[in-house]
Amino acid sequence: MAEQQNNQPQNNRPQQEQDLGQLLKIRREKLTALQKAGKDPFQITKYDVTNHSREIKENYDELEGKTVSIAGRIMQKRVMGKASFCNIQDLQGNIQSYVARDSIGEEPYADFKKYDVGDIVGITGEVFTTKTGEISVHAASVTLLSKSLQILPEKYHGLTNTDIRYRQRYTDLIMNEEVKETFVKRSKIISAIRRYLDDQGFMEVETPMLVSNAGGAAARPFETHFNALDEDVKLRISLELYLKRLIVGGLERVYEIGRVFRNEGLDTRHNPEFTLMELYQAYTDYNGMMDLTENMFRYVAQEVCGTTTVPYGEYMIDLGKPFERLTMIDAVKKYTGIDFDQVPDTAAAKKLADEKDVHYEDRHTKGDILNLFFEEFVEEHLVQPTFVMDHPVEISPLTKRKPDKPDYVERFELFITGREMCNAYSELNDPIDQRERFKAQEAALAAGDEEANTTDEDFLNALEIGMPPTGGIGYGIDRLVMLLTNSPAIRDVLLFPTMKSLDK
């Protein structure tokens, strides 16, 4: 009854829901019977796996007729008297097994017939091809390794409810092969990044997550209390200030891949807990960071996807050709016709904003309004890889000014598919200028900007010790994974995204 229920389309959903309790009861009764017979699967501690499904299929000529041991979850099962077929899902995919009474024995076969879809088994047997040409394993023994006490979503419709998929990622991974592939690819992306940076002479490091001063980005931090020291602390919003301390200490090329936490809303591009990578390189500037970024994106795409032209939604993104480079002023001019170089002051900028219906706050200056124009009118157009350079100093408190244009800084953001992919600077290493920038941030905080930075005296002390000219950059790893896996939402590339509690 349980097997039939798991393999039929859900034509009668109310009846199925009515029967669910009975189906779950049957599975528990099966487990009890196994335990009483001394066959408790949960007493088994290991099973020696010699091969996986894809490996067997790809190396069939070598493995035909040889004995292999596979293990995985029963996803389909067809019982036909003295012989049966089952489909086993493992890390690499699926493979069929032929299970016959005369091959495994009468009592083991009777046990096998009672196994359910969802049970985890180990099968040892010879590799062969069926009459229909399907590569399979002819079972010599079947071992029940874990009894599934729940009912998997039925196989015809799979698991499509997105809320359940995110909350029960374990079920999502079982039922949706493309989801598993996304997370396998995510791991490969991070590994490729590490290989690239290691080959460039960078050293991977780790810095604190619990900090007294959460700086390095414009974001609200999460706050907590450290009981042992009776001090309030914050979860980091960035990796920047500690990594720069290491540059001061003489570690000339450093990077970190780690979780950061920002107390902000949820949408298709934002999750309050996400993976950030930051790297810093002494004796270079933001031009060096642009070159590194372009080369790294190209390398990772080729390594992971096998091509530098990748699909994303309706677009084909070309990472192989040189990335476009333009200043923020030129970008706004290109898409609005307004040249902010000709805007004399904040009052004139606010007048333009009023005319274009761009919302701003009283505290905003000309540079802030330029950035608002960019966000409003430009970002969505930057589909192919584009470096947007030379931001206003007002929105860049940790960045070196342009020597010939001190109201702007040596900073860029990379945009692909209309989304910011990374943010980079020629790092500010003047401790006097940095202190003034912190003062401006403190004033913004006092004026109501909850995302403003606060003064970090130890960081200022490090700068006074002396930091060489340095280029630095931060990458949103999740957004890169979204791009290379053609995933529309950040939750699709986070194994366990932040979800509202069901108790609320």
Side-chain angles (χ1 to χ4, degrees):
M1 180 177 179
E3 189 59 46
Q4 183 180 12
Q5 182 67 32
N6 274 280
N7 284 283
Q8 292 298 320
Q10 293 177 342
N11 295 324
N12 191 340
R13 194 172 296 274
Q15 182 63 42
Q16 184 188 51
E17 291 175 356
Q18 181 180 345
D19 290 346
L20 179 60
Q22 181 63 23
L23 291 169
L24 295 176
K25 181 182 177 183
I26 290 172
R27 291 200 174 205
R28 281 160 174 76
E29 288 173 348
K30 288 181 178 180
L31 174 62
T32 299
L34 287 166
Q35 290 170 333
K36 288 182 177 178
K39 301 175 182 178
D40 185 352
F42 300 125
Q43 294 296 316
I44 296 175
T45 59
K46 62 176 293 188
Y47 186 83
D48 292 328
V49 176
T50 64
N51 301 86
H52 284 81
S53 55
R54 186 187 307 153
E55 177 190 359
I56 292 171
K57 293 176 181 179
E58 291 179 351
N59 298 279
Y60 176 74
D61 290 343
E62 178 185 339
L63 293 174
E64 181 184 11
K66 294 185 178 179
T67 298
V68 297
S69 292
I70 61 171
R73 191 179 301 274
I74 298 175
M75 298 302 292
Q76 294 177 353
K77 182 163 165 265
R78 300 194 313 276
V79 176
M80 301 176 296
K82 298 179 181 180
S84 302
F85 286 94
C86 65
N87 187 277
I88 304 301
Q89 178 175 292
D90 61 16
L91 173 65
Q92 295 182 355
N94 291 269
I95 192 166
Q96 180 176 266
S97 179
Y98 173 69
V99 183
R101 185 190 67 181
D102 293 344
S103 297
I104 69 170
E106 188 167 341
E107 183 178 337
Y109 186 69
D111 289 339
F112 171 78
K113 288 167 64 176
K114 297 176 185 177
Y115 295 166
D116 291 305
V117 167
D119 289 352
I120 297 174
V121 297
I123 295 177
T124 296
E126 289 187 1
V127 177
F128 79 111
T129 303
T130 65
K131 293 178 180 179
T132 60
E134 183 167 354
I135 296 172
S136 307
V137 176
H138 187 150
S141 66
V142 180
T143 305
L144 182 63
L145 303 174
S146 181
K147 181 68 186 168
S148 176
L149 301 180
Q150 280 287 351
I151 310 296
L152 291 177
E154 59 87 25
K155 68 186 178 71
Y156 290 95
H157 297 92
L159 181 61
T160 58
N161 182 296
T162 54
D163 188 74
I164 294 177
R165 286 182 53 222
Y166 297 144
R167 292 183 187 278
Q168 297 183 17
R169 184 65 85 186
Y170 43 89
T171 308
D172 190 26
L173 290 166
I174 294 168
M175 301 306 301
N176 295 315
E177 184 65 27
E178 69 277 8
V179 172
K180 184 188 292 184
E181 288 301 316
T182 291
F183 290 104
V184 169
K185 187 174 282 189
R186 179 188 175 104
S187 178
K188 291 179 179 178
I189 289 167
I190 294 173
S191 294
I193 290 171
R194 285 191 165 105
R195 284 197 303 275
Y196 179 82
L197 292 177
D198 292 348
D199 288 345
Q200 297 296 314
F202 283 83
M203 180 173 70
E204 185 173 8
V205 297
E206 296 172 307
T207 61
M209 289 189 181
L210 288 174
V211 295
S212 58
N213 189 331
R220 287 182 60 189
F222 287 95
E223 300 183 16
T224 188
H225 187 75
F226 186 8
N227 292 332
L229 297 180
D230 193 23
E231 291 182 356
D232 291 333
V233 293
K234 301 176 179 67
L235 290 172
R236 65 184 181 187
I237 60 174
S238 170
L239 313 174
E240 180 167 350
L241 300 185
Y242 280 98
L243 291 177
K244 284 183 179 178
R245 287 169 167 90
L246 299 180
I247 294 291
V248 171
L251 304 182
E252 295 181 1
R253 298 188 182 200
V254 295
Y255 75 96
E256 180 174 6
I257 300 174
R259 289 290 205 184
V260 296
F261 310 87
R262 298 182 182 179
N263 200 346
E264 57 190 15
L266 297 163
D267 61 31
T268 57
R269 288 186 280 179
H270 295 89
N271 192 78
E273 176 184 0
F274 64 98
T275 302
L276 183 65
M277 181 180 80
E278 293 196 31
L279 64 86
Y280 293 85
Q281 178 179 342
Y283 311 114
T284 191
D285 62 3
Y286 75 146
N287 291 300
M289 292 295 100
M290 273 186 267
D291 293 339
L292 183 148
T293 297
E294 189 168 335
N295 291 333
M296 187 180 76
F297 270 55
R298 197 167 291 139
Y299 172 86
V300 172
Q302 187 66 50
E303 284 284 296
V304 176
C305 303
T307 177
T308 56
T309 303
V310 297
Y312 191 82
E314 61 187 286
Y315 304 108
M316 290 299 296
I317 305 302
D318 190 350
L319 299 169
K321 68 180 182 181
F323 295 3
E324 184 179 2
R325 304 185 183 195
L326 73 166
T327 67
M328 182 177 282
I329 284 179
D330 287 342
V332 170
K333 184 178 179 180
K334 179 177 180 179
Y335 291 101
T336 69
I338 297 171
D339 185 354
F340 266 77
D341 270 339
Q342 304 304 315
V343 177
D345 52 30
T346 295
K350 288 183 175 179
K351 183 179 179 182
L352 280 171
D354 291 335
E355 292 172 359
K356 293 291 187 180
D357 198 27
V358 174
H359 175 72
Y360 60 87
E361 299 178 24
D362 289 342
R363 62 183 175 82
H364 283 155
T365 63
K366 173 186 169 182
D368 295 304
I369 292 170
L370 168 61
N371 186 55
L372 292 172
F373 267 73
F374 174 78
E375 292 175 347
E376 181 72 22
F377 300 114
V378 180
E379 282 190 9
E380 64 181 328
H381 298 288
L382 305 179
V383 174
Q384 295 299 328
T386 305
F387 290 119
V388 176
M389 308 177 294
D390 302 350
H391 294 51
V393 69
E394 292 92 331
I395 63 169
S396 311
L398 298 165
T399 315
K400 186 170 286 191
R401 296 177 191 263
K402 291 183 69 65
D404 58 340
K405 205 172 185 181
D407 289 339
Y408 296 87
V409 296
E410 293 190 348
R411 172 184 174 187
F412 74 80
E413 293 172 294
L414 172 63
F415 285 85
I416 305 176
T417 69
R419 297 172 176 176
E420 176 202 337
M421 303 298 289
C422 62
N423 185 21
Y425 313 149
S426 294
E427 301 297 335
L428 180 60
N429 61 343
D430 179 346
I432 298 172
D433 190 358
Q434 183 64 81
R435 184 174 290 279
E436 292 303 312
R437 307 273 193 97
F438 276 141
K439 284 182 181 179
Q441 287 287 297
E442 295 275 10
L445 184 66
D449 184 357
E450 294 181 330
E451 296 184 346
N453 284 204
T454 56
T455 303
D456 187 326
E457 290 292 347
D458 182 72
F459 176 65
L460 287 171
N461 184 66
L463 289 187
E464 289 179 356
I465 295 291
M467 186 174 85
T470 297
I473 190 165
Y475 301 89
I477 295 297
D478 307 304
R479 292 187 184 180
L480 176 57
V481 175
M482 289 169 65
L483 174 68
L484 296 183
T485 60
N486 197 5
S487 298
I490 193 170
R491 290 183 178 186
D492 295 326
V493 300
L494 297 174
L495 280 168
F496 300 102
T498 301
M499 304 289 290
K500 185 177 180 179
S501 172
L502 292 173
D503 297 332
K504 296 294 186 182

